[in-house]
Amino acid sequence: MFPQRPLARTFQRALSQVRSPIIRQTLQRRFAHSEGPPLTGAADNAFNRERAAVKAHAAATSDLWRKLSLYVTIPCLIIASVNAYNLWTEHWEHWNHMPPLEERVEYPYQNIRTKNFPWGDGDKTLFWNPEVNYHHKDE
């Protein structure tokens, strides 16, 4: 890996450069986000006007997507969750009217076993749910 002392010296040099007023002013100017004064004189050219228009469009578009995310997406997720919950409860109400698992017909294509599973008693699949699945073992 890297030797620790040269790496520490490099880090200290980088910190001392960031502390210098020239680099600090450059970073502060570059990362400062504020609207500048209106363009006048030589600065009022096509490139700068287009750049200002692009900035304004980007600000409006990002504001639109923020509003869509907050005021459209979240209510849609809540409505979809309520709908999924209602469908889930209707499904289990339907299961309450069915006969018990032991009395249901087991068709020949259900629970086909050519060899035992390597877990448990060998009869139940990995996704076996005792409230839903039932298997009449051959007597």
Side-chain angles (χ1 to χ4, degrees):
M1 302 282 6
F2 294 110
Q4 289 183 354
R5 288 191 180 189
L7 188 61
R9 285 187 201 128
T10 305
F11 184 68
Q12 287 173 351
R13 272 190 233 122
L15 277 178
S16 66
Q17 287 177 357
V18 171
R19 289 181 189 152
S20 71
I22 296 171
I23 293 181
R24 190 171 357 126
Q25 287 174 355
T26 305
L27 289 174
Q28 286 174 351
R29 245 185 281 131
R30 177 171 225 157
F31 295 128
H33 181 70
S34 63
E35 291 296 320
L39 300 172
T40 58
D44 187 18
N45 58 25
F47 174 76
N48 286 335
R49 283 192 300 270
E50 182 181 353
R51 187 169 176 212
V54 167
K55 276 186 165 181
H57 175 71
T61 304
S62 65
D63 189 49
L64 169 74
W65 282 105
R66 183 184 58 81
K67 288 179 182 176
L68 281 175
S69 297
L70 291 175
Y71 303 123
V72 175
T73 305
I74 293 174
C76 286
L77 286 173
I78 291 170
I79 291 169
S81 299
V82 168
N83 182 37
Y85 176 77
N86 290 337
L87 291 174
W88 178 261
T89 55
E90 285 178 19
H91 173 72
W92 284 108
E93 287 173 5
H94 166 75
W95 271 82
N96 290 336
H97 300 295
M98 295 177 73
L101 288 173
E102 296 81 17
E103 297 175 9
R104 293 190 194 149
V105 177
E106 185 171 0
Y107 297 100
Y109 57 83
Q110 292 178 325
N111 297 317
I112 296 173
R113 307 282 189 265
T114 55
K115 64 179 186 176
N116 288 339
F117 293 109
W119 53 82
D121 62 356
D123 187 47
K124 295 176 176 65
T125 65
L126 190 60
F127 304 103
W128 189 268
N129 183 354
E131 295 180 14
V132 178
N133 303 112
Y134 185 76
H135 179 51
H136 296 287
K137 291 189 178 184
D138 295 335
E139 304 292 333

